[in-house]
Amino acid sequence: MNQPIKNNLPHTDLKTADFWYDLPEERIAQHPAEPRDSSRLMVLNRADGSIAHRRFSDICDYLRPGDTLVINDSKVIPARLYGNVENRSEAQIELLLLRQRDLDVWETLVRPGKRAKIGMRLTFGGGLLQATVEDIVEEGNRLVRFSYDRSQFANVYDVLHRVGTMPLPPYITEKLEDQSRYQTVYAREEGSAAAPTAGLHFTPELLDKIRAMGVAVVPVMLHVGLGTFRPVKAERVDEHVMHTEFFSVSKESAKIINERKAAGGRLICVGTTSCRTIESVADENGVIRPLSGDTGIFIYPGYRFKAVDALITNFHLPESTLLMLVSAFYSREKMLEAYKIAVEENYRFFSFGDAMLIE
């Protein structure tokens, strides 16, 4: 696919400020729930407007034989690097890997950005990994080419696991002792700069229980990058432009989803990334096409969902594209009211927070 997938939504009068809500800082979860499926679950029923308060382990009560649970099996890489400008140990620099452009070429976010000029060489891990700045692209991001000892490391991912750290969001300020907790239990293909966090609530045992019910658990892949989490700076919602992210839907996954949908089963997406992937490949009749490519789909109120029937998600940042997506799936007013209740009921918010099912 040469052209990235985008949506063509009509004009909207909605402003970014229409998706603001007040959140006390203490509601931002600093640590994941233990065990994973002990987090809380708010269930929003779109048919009757009801709200139920459950535990995530109760999710089976809301699934039916014949349903399909779509998961994003992208794996978070140790995408944050701390190092120096070559031959200048005092010139410290931070790199956040956003997206792989070629085998060893990545689009990165650099701090401090002014320090990273084209041609500059950076070094990480005491010289195990070097990077050369090759270009400056949109919003000041840098394209860098990595080099490393190929007799010691099979690929750049091997080096990253030695010298990189997990790219926790800036609102998580406490140290994560177990790095695997910022990874889903089904993560498979490395490439994400952030976790598809709705999936963090699942345990292998819970997934086995779901499969035993007659629910298919089907993977798609979207490498989560800056596009998912970049703040909306435009005053009007429809002026915001999403960064593209790489996705892939296999023939096998598309076949299973289509067969079960045709038989009357529901398609339930785990997370906004799975949802965006499915809506990127669904045709106007809701049929899923096996595709790989880039998507910059931006879903906000006014969007007509083509394939997704229910959505498992976390509680998202104010004025974020993620909050806009869930508001498109239900309604902005209903979502903001649910978020207000979640604050009053002491739900935990954001990446390590509690979950929501919108059915």
Side-chain angles (χ1 to χ4, degrees), residues 142 176 199 225 269 355:
R142 265 59 171 179
L176 179 64
C269 279

Side-chain angles (χ1 to χ4, degrees), residues 166-353:
M166 276 295 187
L168 294 179
Y171 50 75
I172 296 176
T173 57
E174 298 182 20
K175 185 178 179 181
L176 179 64
E177 297 297 337
D178 181 0
Q179 298 295 303
S180 70
R181 293 308 309 274
Y182 193 60
Q183 201 82 265
T184 63
V185 297
Y186 46 74
R188 182 185 59 84
E189 185 170 342
E190 293 190 304
S192 277
T197 54
L200 296 178
H201 305 282
F202 287 93
T203 65
E205 296 78 14
L206 181 57
L207 288 167
D208 287 344
K209 185 178 178 182
I210 288 169
R211 292 186 183 99
M213 293 176 57
V215 176
V217 180
V218 177
V220 298
M221 192 278 293
L222 182 138
H223 286 325
V224 188
L226 196 63
T228 298
F229 298 100
R230 188 168 66 109
V232 180
K233 296 179 180 178
E235 182 179 349
R236 271 195 13 216
V237 167
D238 56 10
E239 292 174 345
H240 177 72
V241 178
M242 295 283 284
H243 278 275
T244 59
E245 295 163 309
F246 181 76
F247 73 89
S248 180
V249 177
S250 69
K251 289 182 180 179
E252 181 182 6
S253 289
K255 182 174 182 289
I256 295 170
I257 294 169
N258 288 331
E259 287 178 351
R260 293 175 78 92
K261 283 275 284 184
R266 297 176 302 165
L267 192 162
I268 302 160
C269 279
V270 178
T272 57
T273 58
S274 297
C275 175
R276 292 177 62 238
T277 302
I278 288 295
E279 290 297 312
S280 293
V281 300
D283 68 15
E284 290 306 312
N285 297 314
V287 176
I288 305 305
R289 301 164 293 174
L291 290 173
S292 295
D294 296 327
T295 182
I297 190 171
F298 179 21
I299 297 175
Y300 55 84
Y303 178 84
R304 184 183 67 83
F305 285 83
K306 296 174 285 187
V308 179
D309 298 306
L311 178 63
I312 297 170
T313 188
N314 278 20
F315 291 89
H316 305 296
L317 275 73
E319 300 184 340
S320 64
T321 60
L322 308 178
L323 180 54
M324 294 172 189
L325 184 153
V326 296
S327 296
F329 195 65
Y330 196 178
S331 81
R332 185 182 69 90
E333 294 78 14
K334 293 285 189 181
M335 291 309 304
L336 290 177
E337 178 60 26
Y339 272 49
K340 181 173 181 290
I341 292 170
V343 171
E344 293 169 352
E345 294 290 331
N346 294 326
Y347 276 74
R348 300 161 73 246
F349 279 65
F350 306 164
S351 294
F352 285 150

Side-chain angles (χ1 to χ4, degrees), residues 111-132:
R111 294 192 180 97
K114 293 180 181 179
R115 188 169 285 167
K117 303 184 187 307
I118 294 176
M120 181 169 285
R121 287 179 58 82
L122 314 171
T123 181
F124 307 93
L128 288 177
L129 183 64
Q130 298 90 38
T132 302

